């Protein structure tokens, strides 16, 4: 006997979501023999994007039963059944979380139609419920509402049952009650972790760090490692006895901290960075007409690398972006192979360097400005971003193009006085890799500000 389940939630932080609607169809393999469909008052706000997606809003839920009022019915209809859902791990986790809040340990076997579809329908273009059922000609109404999605899942499940001619796959795919769920020890570990940016460390029984990683959500990331079914994740989960963490306030500090500590600590389950993380660079040369040319070359072939990249593709993308932003010439920079003027000249974005019409000095000034963007090669440069709490900011100090370290401060005078600044900085290795990490991050994301400081 199966319980075909679909749940809609409020959205929000991991393990803090609430149920807004639930649909359960008790299915004997041929027909639906019982069903339970209800809106649920989650007693918390619904995220705006969820309201837009599902059409369920707080006004609709004011008179709906709260979860504790429908909990007994859910237990009864799912008793002695295997829960079937599209992305079962999500629905089952949400259901167990709600029951756990009531002090009840809800356990059922589960079967995921995403997993089954990947095994029985290997040529499908997408395994999202909407796209998958449409590709199979299965009618679906009320998408992103619990009953509409549950009815579509029943029809999909019937098809999968018919395709499983050997009846082996379903037996193998049914998960044990605890697979994909946390043990009591792991629940205790995850419960104390924050939904914040930082670096976390997973320790074995001897206190050794067996895995470390940066993340924008420590609790969510650790939970994912504990519930994944890959061999590596299972080994980590089995050996982990404690998880510690350090908050960084922002992703860039987390990236630098993770990189340095991976090289220093070399945990056995973490991927250690390569000796050199970059392969290509921007190089500056002068063409026969005196214009500066930005060339992309392998790092070793560049006498004075001006920007570092982990491949030709990322270098070309950034060169194109700079060319557009600073009104540079596509032909001079090797983007265009036009015989005469480049297409940018016709469009008005190029001022004619390709046909020697633009003043050389003016053009070269823009090239220098373009090459200076997102670089931290000044005498003393501070990259300022969010700190670990309100009122605090982080500062990454770079001297003469080399990383010195990072620190956190509350008052501006702490960074305006170089002696105080250096006293609050935690030292880091100023390698080319560190520069690559900083500059590649700045190309993609914004920080609060970058400032040059005087002694």
């Amino acid at each position: 006997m199966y319980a075909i389940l679909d749940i809609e939630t409020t959205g929000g932080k991991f393990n803090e979501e609430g149920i807004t609607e639930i649909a359960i169809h008790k299915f004997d393999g041929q027909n639906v023999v019982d069903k339970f469909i209800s809106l649920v008052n989650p007693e918390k706000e619904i995220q705006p994007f969820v309201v837009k997606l599902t059409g369920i809003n707080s006004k609709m839920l004011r008179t709906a039963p709260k979860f504790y009022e429908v909990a007994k019915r859910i237990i009864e209809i799912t008793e002695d059944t295997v829960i079937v859902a599209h992305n079962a791990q999500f629905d089952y986790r949400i259901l167990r979380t709600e029951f756990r809040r009531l002090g009840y340990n809800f356990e059922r076997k589960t079967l995921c139609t995403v997993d089954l579809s990947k095994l029985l329908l290997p040529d499908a273009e997408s395994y999202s419920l909407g796209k998958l059922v449409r590709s199979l000609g299965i009618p679906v109404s009320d998408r992103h509402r619990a009953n509409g999605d549950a009815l579509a899942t029943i029809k999909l499940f019937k098809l999968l049952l018919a395709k499983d001619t050997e009846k082996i796959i379903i037996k193998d795919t049914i998960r044990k009650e605890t697979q994909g769920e946390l043990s009591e020890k792991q629940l205790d570990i995850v419960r104390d972790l924050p939904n914040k940016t930082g670096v976390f460390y997973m320790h074995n029984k001897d206190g050794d760090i067996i895995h470390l990683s940066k993340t924008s959500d420590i609790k969510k990331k650790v939970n994912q490692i504990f519930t994944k079914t890959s061999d590596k994740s299972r080994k980590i989960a089995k050996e982990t006895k404690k998880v510690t963490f350090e908050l960084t306030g922002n992703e860039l500090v987390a990236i630098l901290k993770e990189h340095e500590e991976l090289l220093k600590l070399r945990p056995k389950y973490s991927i250690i960075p390569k000796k050199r993380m970059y392969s290509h660079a921007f190089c500056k040369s002068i063409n026969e007409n005196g214009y500066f040319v930005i060339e992309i070359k392998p790092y070793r072939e560049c006498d004075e690398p001006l920007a570092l990249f982990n491949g030709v593709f990322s270098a070309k993308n950034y060169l194109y972006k700079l060319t557009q932003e600073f009104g540079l010439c596509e032909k001079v920079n090797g983007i265009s192979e036009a015989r005469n003027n480049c297409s940018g000249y016709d469009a008005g974005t190029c001022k004619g360097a390709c046909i020697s019409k633009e003043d050389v000095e003016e053009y070269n000034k823009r090239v220098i400005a373009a090459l200076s963007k997102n670089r931290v090669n000044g005498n003393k440069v501070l990259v300022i971003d969010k700190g670990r709490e309100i009122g605090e900011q982080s500062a990454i100090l770079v001297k003469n193009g080399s990383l010195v370290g990072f620190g956190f401060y509350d008052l501006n005078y702490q960074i305006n006085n170089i002696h105080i600044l250096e006293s609050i900085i935690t030292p880091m290795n100023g390698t080319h890799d560190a520069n690559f990490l900083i500059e590649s991050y700045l190309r993609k994301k914004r920080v609060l500000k970058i400032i040059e400081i005087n002694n």
Side-chain angles (χ1 to χ4, degrees):
M1 192 71 73
Y2 305 99
I4 314 295
L5 168 71
D6 192 84
I7 285 171
E8 301 301 329
T9 73
T10 57
K13 289 182 178 179
F14 188 83
N15 272 0
E16 294 182 14
E17 311 100 319
I19 293 176
T20 58
E21 189 176 36
I22 187 168
I24 304 172
H25 293 256
K26 197 169 185 176
F27 180 64
D28 65 4
Q30 301 294 326
N31 300 297
V32 173
V33 296
D34 193 6
K35 62 183 175 182
F36 172 67
I37 304 158
S38 179
L39 291 169
V40 179
N41 184 344
E43 301 181 85
K44 60 179 67 181
E45 286 300 310
I46 307 172
Q47 297 292 310
F49 80 91
V50 176
V51 174
K52 190 174 181 181
L53 183 70
T54 65
I56 299 171
N57 57 51
S58 297
K59 188 176 180 181
M60 292 168 59
L61 304 178
R62 280 177 194 161
T63 57
K66 297 177 176 65
F67 184 79
Y68 74 86
E69 296 176 283
V70 299
K72 184 180 177 183
R73 176 68 173 129
I74 293 169
I75 292 170
E76 290 172 346
I77 197 171
T78 61
E79 193 169 8
D80 298 322
T81 68
V82 175
I83 288 178
V84 178
H86 206 72
N87 191 9
Q89 190 169 325
F90 171 79
D91 294 77
Y92 186 50
R93 175 180 67 80
I94 296 294
L95 207 49
R96 273 178 61 86
T97 299
E98 288 281 16
F99 274 109
R100 199 176 291 125
R101 289 169 185 155
L102 300 178
Y104 181 81
N105 185 29
F106 179 83
E107 287 189 349
R108 299 289 186 267
K109 293 182 179 180
T110 65
L111 183 62
C112 181
T113 50
V114 175
D115 293 345
L116 271 180
S117 298
K118 288 178 179 178
L119 290 166
L120 295 167
L121 303 168
D123 298 324
E125 288 186 10
S126 170
Y127 294 99
S128 71
L129 182 61
K131 290 180 180 178
L132 183 59
V133 296
R134 276 197 298 273
S135 72
L136 297 169
I138 295 172
V140 59
S141 58
D142 276 343
R143 269 296 277 131
H144 302 299
R145 290 296 299 267
N147 194 46
D149 286 356
L151 290 171
T153 304
I154 293 171
K155 291 170 184 173
L156 172 62
F157 187 52
K158 282 183 178 179
L159 175 68
L160 294 171
L161 284 171
K163 281 189 171 288
D164 186 23
T165 54
E166 296 182 21
K167 307 304 176 190
I168 295 171
I169 296 173
I170 288 181
K171 189 188 295 183
D172 290 343
T173 311
I174 291 178
R175 296 171 176 165
K176 295 178 182 176
E177 289 88 335
T178 56
Q179 188 172 328
E181 278 295 306
L182 304 185
S183 68
E184 287 303 315
K185 174 67 175 174
Q186 290 168 341
L187 278 169
D188 289 340
I189 290 172
V190 172
R191 192 178 292 119
D192 294 332
L193 298 175
N195 295 102
K196 292 185 176 181
T197 301
V199 179
F200 65 88
Y201 312 86
M202 307 184 89
H203 304 259
N204 64 12
K205 60 183 176 60
D206 299 317
D208 299 327
I209 295 171
I210 57 173
H211 180 65
L212 72 86
S213 178
K214 64 169 175 61
T215 177
S216 58
D217 189 328
I218 293 171
K219 177 178 284 198
K220 184 177 180 181
K221 184 72 172 180
V222 172
N223 195 93
Q224 287 172 343
I225 292 172
F226 280 156
T227 54
K228 277 183 180 177
T229 56
S230 67
D231 287 344
K232 180 180 173 181
S233 293
R234 283 176 177 171
K235 287 176 182 176
I236 295 173
K238 185 178 180 181
E239 292 184 36
T240 298
K241 303 303 177 189
K242 185 179 181 181
V243 177
T244 59
F245 61 89
E246 287 191 35
L247 299 181
T248 60
N250 63 79
E251 194 179 350
L252 180 54
V253 173
I255 287 169
L256 293 172
K257 192 171 178 58
E258 177 200 50
H259 178 259
E260 177 148 312
E261 292 181 343
L262 283 174
L263 291 172
K264 185 187 295 182
L265 301 173
R266 307 186 79 83
K268 69 175 180 177
Y269 291 120
S270 299
I271 298 171
I272 309 303
K274 298 175 183 177
K275 286 186 177 180
R276 194 177 74 232
M277 302 179 72
Y278 47 89
S279 58
H280 289 73
F282 277 173
C283 312
K284 180 166 64 76
S285 61
I286 302 175
N287 70 9
E288 65 275 12
N289 297 314
Y291 295 106
F292 287 160
V293 178
I294 303 174
E295 296 180 291
I296 298 168
K297 288 184 178 181
Y299 173 76
R300 293 185 183 281
E301 296 177 18
C302 198
D303 294 331
E304 189 183 345
L306 297 172
L308 303 173
F309 301 89
N310 61 2
V312 175
F313 184 74
S314 58
K316 282 184 176 179
N317 276 347
Y318 190 59
L319 178 57
Y320 180 78
K321 183 180 177 182
L322 287 182
T323 299
Q324 298 299 306
E325 184 177 344
F326 287 87
L328 304 181
C329 177
E330 293 181 4
K331 185 178 177 182
V332 170
N333 282 339
I335 297 171
S336 168
E337 296 180 358
R339 290 185 178 180
N340 297 311
N341 62 275
C342 67
S343 59
Y345 182 71
D346 294 327
T349 56
C350 168
K351 298 182 180 179
C354 44
I355 49 176
S356 300
K357 275 198 169 183
E358 185 178 3
D359 179 75
V360 171
E361 189 176 341
E362 287 299 314
Y363 181 84
N364 289 348
K365 280 182 183 176
R366 293 206 308 283
V367 173
I368 296 299
L371 289 171
S372 299
K373 181 170 177 152
N374 297 326
R375 295 207 68 205
V376 284
N377 58 339
N379 181 30
K380 288 189 183 75
V381 177
L382 278 179
V383 180
I384 306 296
D385 208 351
K386 292 182 293 184
R388 299 160 296 185
E389 55 193 38
I390 294 171
E392 182 183 75
Q393 293 182 329
S394 68
I396 296 170
L397 175 61
V398 181
K399 271 189 188 180
N400 302 317
S402 181
L403 174 66
V404 175
F406 74 94
F408 299 97
Y409 69 97
D410 302 305
L411 303 168
N412 281 333
Y413 84 84
Q414 291 175 288
I415 62 167
N416 292 332
N417 184 310
I418 189 63
H419 300 297
I420 295 175
L421 172 63
E422 289 178 342
S423 70
I424 64 173
I425 289 291
T426 300
M428 301 189 89
N429 290 326
T431 63
H432 285 303
D433 280 327
N435 276 21
F436 163 73
L437 290 170
I438 295 170
E439 293 185 359
S440 58
Y441 180 89
L442 295 176
R443 289 175 209 139
K444 299 169 191 171
K445 299 188 178 182
R446 290 185 177 179
V447 294
L448 291 179
K449 57 186 172 181
I450 300 173
I451 57 177
E452 287 204 36
I453 56 175
N454 302 314
N455 291 332

mmCIF file of all heavy atoms in Angstrom, residues 37 61 97-98 111 114 119 174 195 211 213 269 326 372 377 430 451:
data_model
loop_
_atom_site.group_PDB
_atom_site.id
_atom_site.type_symbol
_atom_site.label_atom_id
_atom_site.label_comp_id
_atom_site.label_asym_id
_atom_site.label_seq_id
_atom_site.Cartn_x
_atom_site.Cartn_y
_atom_site.Cartn_z
ATOM 1 N N ILE A 37 -7.067 15.799 1.977
ATOM 2 C CA ILE A 37 -6.589 17.042 1.359
ATOM 3 C C ILE A 37 -6.986 18.192 2.269
ATOM 4 O O ILE A 37 -8.153 18.302 2.673
ATOM 5 C CB ILE A 37 -7.201 17.254 -0.048
ATOM 6 C CG1 ILE A 37 -6.911 16.055 -0.952
ATOM 7 C CG2 ILE A 37 -6.686 18.543 -0.677
ATOM 8 C CD1 ILE A 37 -7.871 15.923 -2.111
ATOM 9 N N LEU A 61 -5.466 31.032 4.874
ATOM 10 C CA LEU A 61 -5.111 30.050 5.891
ATOM 11 C C LEU A 61 -5.556 30.418 7.303
ATOM 12 O O LEU A 61 -5.348 29.647 8.237
ATOM 13 C CB LEU A 61 -3.583 29.829 5.885
ATOM 14 C CG LEU A 61 -2.976 29.398 4.543
ATOM 15 C CD1 LEU A 61 -1.470 29.262 4.673
ATOM 16 C CD2 LEU A 61 -3.589 28.099 4.067
ATOM 17 N N THR A 97 9.708 17.017 10.329
ATOM 18 C CA THR A 97 10.011 18.235 11.091
ATOM 19 C C THR A 97 8.773 18.719 11.844
ATOM 20 O O THR A 97 8.846 19.093 13.021
ATOM 21 C CB THR A 97 10.529 19.345 10.161
ATOM 22 O OG1 THR A 97 11.729 18.898 9.528
ATOM 23 C CG2 THR A 97 10.819 20.624 10.925
ATOM 24 N N GLU A 98 7.613 18.712 11.152
ATOM 25 C CA GLU A 98 6.369 19.150 11.802
ATOM 26 C C GLU A 98 6.008 18.225 12.971
ATOM 27 O O GLU A 98 5.626 18.683 14.050
ATOM 28 C CB GLU A 98 5.222 19.178 10.781
ATOM 29 C CG GLU A 98 5.321 20.310 9.766
ATOM 30 C CD GLU A 98 4.861 21.651 10.321
ATOM 31 O OE1 GLU A 98 4.747 21.802 11.557
ATOM 32 O OE2 GLU A 98 4.610 22.564 9.517
ATOM 33 N N LEU A 111 9.507 6.348 -1.088
ATOM 34 C CA LEU A 111 9.858 6.018 -2.465
ATOM 35 C C LEU A 111 9.802 7.301 -3.268
ATOM 36 O O LEU A 111 8.825 8.046 -3.193
ATOM 37 C CB LEU A 111 8.853 4.994 -3.011
ATOM 38 C CG LEU A 111 9.051 4.430 -4.405
ATOM 39 C CD1 LEU A 111 10.365 3.685 -4.484
ATOM 40 C CD2 LEU A 111 7.913 3.488 -4.743
ATOM 41 N N VAL A 114 11.287 10.785 -8.514
ATOM 42 C CA VAL A 114 12.420 11.344 -9.268
ATOM 43 C C VAL A 114 13.461 10.245 -9.491
ATOM 44 O O VAL A 114 13.927 10.008 -10.607
ATOM 45 C CB VAL A 114 13.065 12.544 -8.536
ATOM 46 C CG1 VAL A 114 14.313 13.013 -9.289
ATOM 47 C CG2 VAL A 114 12.084 13.683 -8.399
ATOM 48 N N LEU A 119 15.706 5.998 -13.353
ATOM 49 C CA LEU A 119 16.028 4.606 -13.658
ATOM 50 C C LEU A 119 15.182 4.048 -14.799
ATOM 51 O O LEU A 119 15.681 3.333 -15.672
ATOM 52 C CB LEU A 119 15.827 3.743 -12.406
ATOM 53 C CG LEU A 119 16.844 3.954 -11.269
ATOM 54 C CD1 LEU A 119 16.345 3.311 -10.000
ATOM 55 C CD2 LEU A 119 18.207 3.400 -11.642
ATOM 56 N N ILE A 174 13.219 1.481 -2.544
ATOM 57 C CA ILE A 174 12.580 1.828 -1.266
ATOM 58 C C ILE A 174 13.657 2.073 -0.219
ATOM 59 O O ILE A 174 14.507 1.228 0.014
ATOM 60 C CB ILE A 174 11.623 0.710 -0.799
ATOM 61 C CG1 ILE A 174 10.408 0.653 -1.722
ATOM 62 C CG2 ILE A 174 11.162 0.965 0.645
ATOM 63 C CD1 ILE A 174 9.432 -0.444 -1.389
ATOM 64 N N ASN A 195 22.342 29.366 10.502
ATOM 65 C CA ASN A 195 22.090 29.530 9.056
ATOM 66 C C ASN A 195 22.877 30.741 8.565
ATOM 67 O O ASN A 195 22.307 31.691 8.013
ATOM 68 C CB ASN A 195 20.602 29.740 8.795
ATOM 69 C CG ASN A 195 19.763 28.532 9.155
ATOM 70 O OD1 ASN A 195 19.124 28.511 10.198
ATOM 71 N ND2 ASN A 195 19.765 27.536 8.309
ATOM 72 N N HIS A 211 36.910 16.881 7.502
ATOM 73 C CA HIS A 211 36.346 17.626 6.373
ATOM 74 C C HIS A 211 36.111 19.060 6.801
ATOM 75 O O HIS A 211 35.682 19.319 7.933
ATOM 76 C CB HIS A 211 35.031 16.993 5.911
ATOM 77 C CG HIS A 211 34.389 17.706 4.749
ATOM 78 N ND1 HIS A 211 34.972 17.764 3.505
ATOM 79 C CD2 HIS A 211 33.227 18.396 4.656
ATOM 80 C CE1 HIS A 211 34.184 18.456 2.686
ATOM 81 N NE2 HIS A 211 33.125 18.848 3.363
ATOM 82 N N SER A 213 34.736 23.032 4.978
ATOM 83 C CA SER A 213 34.196 23.663 3.769
ATOM 84 C C SER A 213 33.626 25.027 4.101
ATOM 85 O O SER A 213 33.168 25.272 5.209
ATOM 86 C CB SER A 213 33.101 22.780 3.170
ATOM 87 O OG SER A 213 32.531 23.377 2.017
ATOM 88 N N TYR A 269 38.776 13.976 3.761
ATOM 89 C CA TYR A 269 37.606 13.913 2.884
ATOM 90 C C TYR A 269 37.365 15.204 2.095
ATOM 91 O O TYR A 269 36.364 15.327 1.405
ATOM 92 C CB TYR A 269 36.355 13.574 3.692
ATOM 93 C CG TYR A 269 36.364 12.154 4.225
ATOM 94 C CD1 TYR A 269 36.296 11.905 5.598
ATOM 95 C CD2 TYR A 269 36.443 11.063 3.366
ATOM 96 C CE1 TYR A 269 36.307 10.612 6.092
ATOM 97 C CE2 TYR A 269 36.457 9.766 3.852
ATOM 98 C CZ TYR A 269 36.387 9.547 5.210
ATOM 99 O OH TYR A 269 36.401 8.254 5.691
ATOM 100 N N PHE A 326 34.307 49.649 -21.207
ATOM 101 C CA PHE A 326 35.234 50.778 -21.336
ATOM 102 C C PHE A 326 35.349 51.302 -22.779
ATOM 103 O O PHE A 326 36.191 52.133 -23.060
ATOM 104 C CB PHE A 326 36.617 50.382 -20.804
ATOM 105 C CG PHE A 326 36.668 50.280 -19.313
ATOM 106 C CD1 PHE A 326 36.328 49.088 -18.685
ATOM 107 C CD2 PHE A 326 37.011 51.369 -18.531
ATOM 108 C CE1 PHE A 326 36.352 48.975 -17.301
ATOM 109 C CE2 PHE A 326 37.045 51.268 -17.145
ATOM 110 C CZ PHE A 326 36.711 50.082 -16.527
ATOM 111 N N SER A 372 42.780 47.979 -14.521
ATOM 112 C CA SER A 372 42.854 48.261 -13.085
ATOM 113 C C SER A 372 41.582 47.854 -12.350
ATOM 114 O O SER A 372 41.590 47.708 -11.128
ATOM 115 C CB SER A 372 43.103 49.757 -12.847
ATOM 116 O OG SER A 372 44.336 50.141 -13.425
ATOM 117 N N ASN A 377 46.054 45.910 -6.451
ATOM 118 C CA ASN A 377 47.519 45.973 -6.580
ATOM 119 C C ASN A 377 48.103 47.305 -6.131
ATOM 120 O O ASN A 377 49.206 47.667 -6.495
ATOM 121 C CB ASN A 377 47.916 45.697 -8.033
ATOM 122 C CG ASN A 377 47.275 46.679 -9.010
ATOM 123 O OD1 ASN A 377 46.274 47.304 -8.693
ATOM 124 N ND2 ASN A 377 47.845 46.804 -10.189
ATOM 125 N N GLY A 430 50.189 35.420 1.475
ATOM 126 C CA GLY A 430 49.974 36.271 0.306
ATOM 127 C C GLY A 430 50.482 35.636 -0.972
ATOM 128 O O GLY A 430 51.512 36.030 -1.505
ATOM 129 N N ILE A 451 39.035 50.472 -0.694
ATOM 130 C CA ILE A 451 39.671 51.756 -0.429
ATOM 131 C C ILE A 451 41.184 51.618 -0.338
ATOM 132 O O ILE A 451 41.695 50.588 0.072
ATOM 133 C CB ILE A 451 39.142 52.406 0.873
ATOM 134 C CG1 ILE A 451 39.343 51.464 2.073
ATOM 135 C CG2 ILE A 451 37.688 52.773 0.731
ATOM 136 C CD1 ILE A 451 38.914 52.063 3.402
#
